[in-house]
């Protein structure tokens, strides 16, 4: 699988391989959204990745969607993340922060003043929030005003500045998996009749404005953008993914971002179409068919050979195999991931997976 181990350029970074670590929520920021020493160890163990993309990080208080997830909107959170980036850089690694506003995938219990979560339209997700006390239904969110939208754009830009202050090499904007940016993109969650809804041009507007603001704040060479065309995660429905994401990538292309990251949902034909629309670096979380979950190294090598991607990102493989590049080169074996330790907890299932 030599294709996986060729260098690749992302923005202004020359990366040593094309085996990227995909973002994975681990819910271990127990104190006011601050990561701890275990998180620094976790990411440093995986510094052999061409690029690490962190778990989702909320850019503001209302951006939080789950218990124990980290933020990048306070000085204390920035200082905590700086220990993580220092640890990764000391091992020769590169790391981007994924910024995610959860939108309607939130709950008043997560916010100090008990506010409702916000979204493009007042449509509940139909999903639930896990808490130590039990499951809670997501409420109907408050529809965002134009001032709310402008504020959310600025929250992303401020969090990107904080990420650079924390030592990150860049940020990835989470426009996938049913969170706020995706909620604006999808016609099932965006029923607005103003300039941010209706047509495809209206529904992509928020995403493009966020990307523009973040690119202006920290430089486009430090900004990636993740999408999941056709996803149904978190109650999302998109009637027109080919049209929608073609338009989005065309609108993002002039910004000269570091990369677009596609979470492939089993539709390789759509991936090929979007590859043709994107002139820059394309990172693929490869799932060429609906049965190809979780992803495997051979899917990544195949995508590189086909030319549908410039780099590939793996999730569960990295979670359980901190020395993943060495294991791929050796042909395995691979540790199996323990799903009972994915979220919350201590070092078990986090920093104790053995290396070869």
């Amino acid at each position: 699988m030599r294709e996986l181990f060729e260098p690749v350029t992302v923005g202004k970074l020359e990366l040593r391989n094309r085996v990227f670590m995909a973002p994975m929520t681990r819910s271990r920021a127990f104190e006011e959204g601050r990561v701890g020493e275990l998180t620094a160890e976790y990411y440093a163990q995986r510094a052999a990745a061409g690029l690490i993309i962190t778990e989702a990080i909320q850019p503001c208080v209302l951006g939080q969607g789950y218990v124990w997830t980290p933020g990048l909107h306070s000085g204390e959170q920035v200082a905590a993340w700086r220990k993580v980036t220092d640890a990764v850089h000391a091992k020769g690694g590169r790391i981007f922060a994924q910024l995610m506003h959860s939108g309607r995938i939130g709950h008043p219990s997560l916010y100090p003043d008990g506010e409702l979560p916000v979204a493009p339209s007042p449509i509940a997700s139909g999903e639930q929030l896990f808490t130590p006390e039990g499951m809670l239904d997501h409420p109907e969110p408050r529809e965002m005003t134009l001032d709310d939208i402008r504020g959310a754009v600025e929250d992303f830009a401020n969090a990107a500045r904080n990420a650079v202050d924390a030592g990150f090499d860049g940020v990835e904007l989470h426009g996938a998996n049913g969170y706020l940016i995706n909620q604006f993109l999808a016609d099932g969650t965006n029923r607005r009749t103003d300039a941010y809804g209706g047509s495809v041009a209206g529904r992509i507007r928020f995403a493009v404005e966020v990307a523009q603001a973040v690119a202006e704040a920290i430089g486009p060479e430090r900004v990636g953008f993740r999408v999941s065309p056709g996803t149904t995660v978190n109650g999302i429905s998109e009637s027109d993914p080919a049209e929608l994401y073609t338009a989005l990538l065309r609108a993002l292309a002039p910004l000269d971002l570091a990369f677009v990251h596609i979470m492939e949902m089993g539709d390789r034909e759509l991936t090929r179409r979007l590859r043709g629309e994107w002139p820059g670096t394309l990172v693929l979380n490869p799932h060429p068919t609906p049965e190809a979950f979780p992803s495997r190294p051979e899917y990544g090598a195949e995508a590189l050979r086909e030319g549908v991607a410039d780099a590939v990102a793996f999730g569960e493989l990295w979670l359980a195999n901190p020395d993943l590049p060495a294991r791929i080169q050796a042909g395995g074996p691979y540790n199996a991931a323990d799903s009972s330790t994915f979220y919350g907890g201590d070092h078990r299932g986090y920093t104790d997976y053995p290396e070869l």
Side-chain angles (χ1 to χ4, degrees):
M1 301 191 191
R2 62 184 182 278
E3 298 91 351
L4 295 171
F5 298 98
E6 296 172 353
V8 64
T9 300
V10 169
K12 294 183 179 179
L13 297 177
E14 294 293 332
L15 304 178
R16 56 190 168 187
N17 65 55
R18 299 174 188 238
V19 184
F20 290 9
M21 180 175 169
M24 292 173 285
T25 293
R26 304 306 309 273
S27 297
R28 283 169 166 85
F30 298 112
E31 297 183 15
E32 298 181 339
R34 298 194 302 271
V35 294
E37 297 294 337
L38 273 180
T39 300
E41 182 182 356
Y42 169 74
Y43 284 115
Q45 287 175 342
R46 291 154 179 80
L51 179 67
I52 293 170
I53 305 170
T54 71
E55 62 209 273
I57 304 172
Q58 55 255 13
C60 58
V61 171
L62 268 183
Q64 185 172 358
Y66 302 97
V67 296
W68 310 320
T69 53
L72 257 174
H73 51 84
S74 76
E76 294 78 12
Q77 291 165 350
V78 170
W81 276 114
R82 192 172 294 119
K83 295 178 181 179
V84 175
T85 61
D86 284 348
V88 170
H89 291 150
K91 291 284 193 71
R94 296 289 192 173
I95 183 168
F96 272 39
Q98 190 192 64
L99 302 180
M100 183 195 87
H101 191 306
S102 63
R104 69 177 188 170
I105 306 300
H107 194 275
S109 64
L110 295 170
Y111 316 129
D113 56 3
E115 284 187 72
L116 283 172
V118 296
S121 299
I123 303 170
S125 72
E127 305 290 330
Q128 293 183 310
L129 168 72
F130 165 83
T131 77
E133 291 77 37
M135 303 299 290
L136 300 175
D137 292 336
H138 287 152
E140 180 180 293
R142 178 174 63 80
E143 181 170 302
M144 295 174 74
T145 66
L146 294 181
D147 283 343
D148 290 330
I149 291 171
R150 285 188 286 269
V153 171
E154 188 56 30
D155 285 336
F156 274 105
N158 286 335
R161 295 183 190 99
N162 286 343
V164 172
D165 288 345
F168 284 102
D169 298 293
V171 303
E172 177 182 271
L173 302 175
H174 198 344
N177 294 359
Y179 301 110
L180 183 63
I181 294 176
N182 196 184
Q183 290 160 29
F184 271 93
L185 294 172
D187 53 354
T189 45
N190 184 347
R191 305 287 175 82
R192 301 178 73 93
T193 57
D194 63 6
Y196 290 91
S199 67
V200 166
R203 285 184 279 125
I204 69 173
R205 181 176 175 179
F206 178 71
V208 175
E209 288 185 358
V210 170
Q212 287 174 327
V214 172
E216 290 171 5
I218 64 173
E221 73 280 0
R222 289 176 164 173
V223 183
F225 197 104
R226 193 180 203 215
V227 294
S228 54
T231 189
T232 58
V233 173
N234 285 319
I236 284 291
S237 62
E238 299 171 342
S239 66
D240 53 357
E243 179 188 6
L244 173 63
Y245 289 96
T246 295
L248 177 62
L249 295 195
R250 287 176 178 172
L252 292 176
L255 301 181
D256 199 24
L257 303 181
F259 62 85
V260 158
H261 180 184
I262 296 177
M263 170 71 172
E264 192 173 37
M265 304 305 296
D267 187 345
R268 179 53 55 88
E269 195 54 44
L270 178 56
T271 301
R272 291 192 185 98
R273 176 171 175 172
L274 298 178
R275 165 75 279 187
E277 295 291 343
W278 183 248
T281 300
L282 192 144
V283 180
L284 184 67
N285 190 205
H287 304 99
T289 67
E291 297 76 32
F293 288 81
S295 193
R296 298 167 57 178
E298 51 265 39
Y299 301 157
E302 176 189 23
L304 295 176
R305 285 195 298 271
E306 282 189 30
V308 296
D310 300 297
V312 290
F314 300 107
E316 190 172 306
L317 275 171
W318 270 112
L319 184 154
N321 298 278
D323 56 344
L324 182 60
R327 288 179 182 268
I328 294 173
Q329 288 176 314
Y334 300 101
N335 297 321
D338 177 3
S339 61
S340 70
T341 62
F342 281 0
Y343 309 110
D346 51 22
H347 68 285
R348 289 168 290 187
Y350 193 49
T351 58
D352 64 346
Y353 284 104
E355 297 185 0
L356 282 176

